[in-house]
Amino acid sequence: MKRFVSLLVLLLGAAASAGADEPGPGYDIDMSRMIPMRDGVELESWITRPSHLRDKVPAILELTQYEIDGGRRADPAYFARAGYVFVQVYTRGRGRSGGVKSDSLGAQVGRDGYDVVEWIAAQPWSNGQVVMYGSSFVGMTQWRTATQHPPHLAAIAPFVPIYPGWDVPNTNGIPQAWTTVILGLTSGRALNSGFIANQEYWAGKMLEQYAAQRPFSELDRAVGIAAAEDWWMPDGHGGQAPMMRVWLDHVGDEAFNLAAEPRAADYRAMDFPVLTATGFFDDDQPGALHYYRNHVAHAPAAAAAQHYLVIGPWDHGGTYFPAKEIQGLAIPAPAVLDMKALHRVWYAYALGRGPRPEFFRDRVAYFMMGADEWRYAPTLEGASGAQQVLYLSERAGTPGDVLHSGRLSTTAPRSEPAALMVSDPHELPELEVAQYLPDEGLTSQFRGYMKRAMVFHSEPFPADTEIAGHVRLALACAADAPDFDLWAQLMLVRPDGSAVQLGQPDVRRARFRNGFFKAELLKPGERVEIPFEFAWTAWRIPAGARLRLVLMPLNSPNYQKNYNTGGRIGYEDPAAARVAHIRIFHDSRHPSRLVLPLAAPAAAR
């Protein structure tokens, strides 16, 4: 394994450009070149070309709302030295680009992507091959562009792509406060790096609004977003409305949220290679995997066979820059990949300029934590095998905190009273947390000791057990309120008592139990099942370790607060807030259960 990793690093780090001994930086920059769109709007670009370029070469396109001078990542210089022309283009409303900023979240950014790809292909230095590059919002612009099918688009590499309407600005139908931070980062026309680094300010504003029980619809103004002048959308009546307000008004509206998503016919017309990457702790993993699954389901077989997926122990930013530590969790050395170099060798393969990189032994590469090695499967589902079911159980009915927990049992319970959870929107537990905890890491265990926590532990595993896939939780519930929110965390507790989260905690809203585009309020006492799905992960649970499931009401400044009235999302009156008494059943007729996806034994190692 060490020899394989060393060889991979050697191959990825090999010099790729001629003339390395010549004086100068090795590349030339054309600043603020304007590219015309079909409707007359012009987009600003910076173009970085290899110095002394004589032959026509492929181009790499980054269509972004962030920055186009290569300042944060030095990508243009790296790829120019590797023999590519690197073209960074501002989306509408950013830099000197014309147009309206919010157009870059819908189909318009794909149409612009089409025009830019074809403009690049017509340049005298282009050989007609254009590939795309970038992460997060920039991963989304790749899928939007691909949906428009520009003839000269040769490959895309969307890392941690957001999926507007699916994983942003809502999580499972619950509006995210983080949206305001991204609006602040991109407020105006230049990137506001100082703003996003000032967590004391924006996190403090979220906490301030939370403490005052202010309407969620006011959060953007509280943070300072010039909503009606900068980040706005059409209000449907010929006017302008703050973008965050428009999204909030359409929570659960599938037609609005997914108006610009790729359709089955779009995927069927995509005949180029794709490289997707996401992480176990990536907030936008749901979006990345939604694109991936839709593409491999609908694209022609030959094209689907050219979709490679890499998934490892990374968070959102760490998927692009894997680090030795993420939020207090040490990351094994083989998982700390050089992603720019991985892009470079994959682009060469995708464009027919080189062999398939040895790293891609199969179409899905995933990292098995605990074994600390890369594994491979032909499909994401192929990494999973059998399932193991653990039933929630507590003979007394309601478990307590870590020291008074219930059980996760391999045997289904027979007759046990339901657990009772109280969700009181008047409570503000995060104020106390903020007083003693500057930040929460992946190894933090304090949630299991909080006032409303309900904890379940498994027995120690008798042997090493590997899981690969989505751990799922089904809660059989009933309540005396028409709506409520729940938070669930799954942790691996090692024999020495240390612990780590297995992916991100999951949050669910009762009204969206059958899909977050299908709102169904609860009737008093109605028994329903609320499904949770934790992030895709791969982990070896060592012998002697246990699993810990922590359940609590969702009551956080990071999300729009549910006042349990069943009223209009984001506009409920705090004065009318209801205390929800939630019964969680764990008996033979209504078994609440945790389902573990055991790793497939046939997965290549």
Side-chain angles (χ1 to χ4, degrees):
M1 176 55 68
K2 289 183 179 179
R3 180 177 178 277
F4 166 68
V5 173
S6 299
L7 178 61
L8 175 63
V9 171
L10 181 63
L11 289 172
L12 296 180
S17 58
D21 295 331
E22 297 179 3
Y27 57 90
D28 303 319
I29 300 175
D30 292 335
M31 303 181 188
S32 295
R33 178 75 179 270
M34 304 305 290
I35 301 177
M37 301 294 100
R38 69 188 74 174
D39 62 356
V41 169
E42 292 187 321
L43 303 185
E44 182 185 6
S45 70
W46 278 37
I47 302 171
T48 304
R49 295 178 285 110
S51 294
H52 315 298
L53 183 62
R54 298 180 182 87
D55 299 325
K56 294 177 182 291
V57 297
I60 299 173
L61 167 62
E62 184 177 23
L63 183 58
T64 181
Q65 68 171 348
Y66 298 126
E67 86 285 331
I68 61 172
D69 64 354
R72 288 188 301 161
R73 296 174 173 172
D75 299 334
Y78 177 88
F79 286 103
R81 292 188 180 113
Y84 295 90
V85 174
F86 199 90
V87 182
Q88 291 182 291
V89 179
Y90 263 138
T91 55
R92 297 188 176 218
R94 300 289 291 157
R96 293 179 59 211
S97 292
V100 176
K101 186 182 295 186
S102 58
D103 278 348
S104 294
L105 289 168
Q108 181 61 53
V109 76
R111 291 189 286 269
D112 290 346
Y114 179 106
D115 292 350
V116 173
V117 167
E118 295 308 299
W119 181 89
I120 290 171
Q123 299 309 299
W125 39 257
S126 172
N127 73 350
Q129 292 179 310
V130 182
V131 298
M132 294 189 74
Y133 177 84
S135 59
S136 194
F137 173 92
V138 192
M140 178 272 291
T141 67
Q142 297 183 53
W143 282 113
R144 291 280 198 263
T145 299
T147 300
Q148 299 296 317
H149 318 300
H152 291 92
L153 183 60
I156 62 174
F159 275 37
V160 294
I162 66 170
Y163 202 119
W166 188 265
D167 61 358
V168 293
N170 309 314
T171 299
N172 302 326
I174 306 175
Q176 306 160 357
W178 176 254
T179 302
T180 60
V181 182
I182 299 302
L183 297 184
L185 173 66
T186 53
S187 179
R189 289 187 169 269
L191 191 70
N192 305 312
S193 300
F195 168 81
I196 200 168
N198 189 5
Q199 184 173 351
E200 178 185 27
Y201 175 75
W202 51 259
K205 279 296 181 182
M206 290 180 191
L207 196 66
E208 179 181 274
Q209 293 292 102
Y210 169 80
Q213 304 269 22
R214 299 298 303 163
F216 188 81
S217 58
E218 297 178 3
L219 183 58
D220 53 351
R221 280 179 289 173
V223 171
I225 310 300
E229 297 82 25
D230 185 32
W231 270 113
W232 62 270
M233 297 180 74
D235 63 2
H237 304 287
Q240 297 176 188
M243 194 201 79
M244 187 171 173
R245 217 75 43 79
V246 175
W247 280 96
L248 187 61
D249 289 344
H250 290 86
V251 176
D253 182 344
E254 182 173 9
F256 173 86
N257 281 268
L258 302 181
E261 72 166 349
R263 309 296 179 181
D266 296 321
Y267 289 117
R268 283 195 290 269
M270 297 178 188
D271 60 354
F272 43 74
V274 180
L275 173 61
T276 293
T278 184
F280 301 161
F281 309 107
D282 172 25
D283 294 330
D284 290 303
Q285 186 199 98
L289 295 186
H290 198 53
Y291 286 119
Y292 167 80
R293 290 184 172 115
N294 284 342
H295 180 258
V296 298
H298 298 296
Q306 293 298 306
H307 193 152
Y308 291 86
L309 172 66
V310 184
I311 183 167
W314 312 309
D315 58 13
H316 190 69
T319 302
Y320 188 86
F321 284 122
K324 295 180 180 179
E325 181 179 304
I326 297 177
Q327 300 175 52
L329 175 66
I331 304 301
V336 186
L337 298 180
D338 182 339
M339 286 300 191
K340 278 196 287 195
L342 190 67
H343 273 89
R344 179 168 59 77
V345 295
W346 183 81
Y347 283 144
Y349 163 67
L351 294 174
R353 307 174 84 200
R356 186 175 78 176
E358 184 181 352
F359 177 79
F360 295 103
R361 296 183 175 185
D362 212 330
R363 287 177 290 181
V364 175
Y366 63 97
F367 194 80
M368 180 62 72
M369 287 290 283
D372 297 347
E373 63 184 17
W374 286 99
R375 303 278 181 86
Y376 297 86
T379 65
L380 190 62
E381 290 69 28
S384 306
Q387 296 180 337
Q388 181 175 345
V389 179
L390 298 177
Y391 296 93
L392 279 62
S393 177
E394 171 53 48
R395 293 186 182 91
T398 303
D401 62 14
V402 168
L403 302 177
H404 308 87
S405 66
R407 295 179 298 132
L408 295 172
S409 174
T410 56
T411 304
R414 294 185 178 178
S415 178
E416 295 183 355
L420 179 62
M421 178 174 289
V422 177
S423 172
D424 185 351
H426 304 96
E427 295 178 346
L428 300 170
E430 296 303 306
L431 295 184
E432 183 180 353
V433 171
Q435 290 177 359
Y436 66 79
L437 185 74
D439 204 1
E440 185 173 352
L442 295 173
T443 59
S444 301
Q445 300 191 54
F446 73 91
R447 294 287 176 186
Y449 294 91
M450 293 182 70
K451 175 183 176 181
R452 298 297 186 188
M454 187 180 290
V455 180
F456 297 85
H457 281 117
S458 73
E459 293 296 323
F461 280 70
D464 289 355
T465 302
E466 293 183 346
I467 61 173
H470 293 284
V471 177
R472 292 181 168 88
L473 169 67
L475 287 184
C477 301
D480 59 0
D483 201 18
F484 58 85
D485 292 348
L486 290 178
W487 178 95
Q489 178 191 63
L490 185 64
M491 302 197 79
L492 185 158
V493 183
R494 303 183 183 96
D496 64 2
S498 63
V500 61
Q501 289 185 32
L502 295 182
Q504 295 284 74
D506 197 17
V507 295
R508 297 286 160 164
R509 177 158 289 179
R511 75 169 74 186
F512 291 124
R513 60 193 177 277
N514 292 318
F516 44 88
F517 297 124
K518 187 178 182 180
E520 301 170 283
L521 297 179
L522 289 170
K523 299 174 184 177
E526 179 186 8
R527 298 196 181 198
V528 299
E529 189 167 273
I530 299 180
F532 291 73
E533 181 179 87
F534 294 98
W536 202 101
T537 193
W539 219 287
R540 175 180 288 177
I541 303 171
R546 298 187 296 165
L547 293 182
R548 174 185 297 160
L549 175 67
V550 183
L551 301 175
M552 286 193 301
L554 176 63
N555 190 338
S556 166
N558 296 321
Y559 296 95
Q560 174 264 325
K561 177 172 279 197
N562 191 341
Y563 289 98
N564 303 339
T565 67
R568 184 181 170 198
I569 292 175
Y571 297 92
E572 291 174 283
D573 181 2
R578 294 183 57 169
V579 177
H581 300 88
I582 307 159
R583 289 181 294 158
I584 299 177
F585 302 100
H586 42 87
D587 56 56
S588 58
R589 291 190 305 158
H590 308 97
S592 294
R593 59 210 178 273
L594 191 71
V595 181
L596 306 180
L598 302 180
R605 296 172 183 251

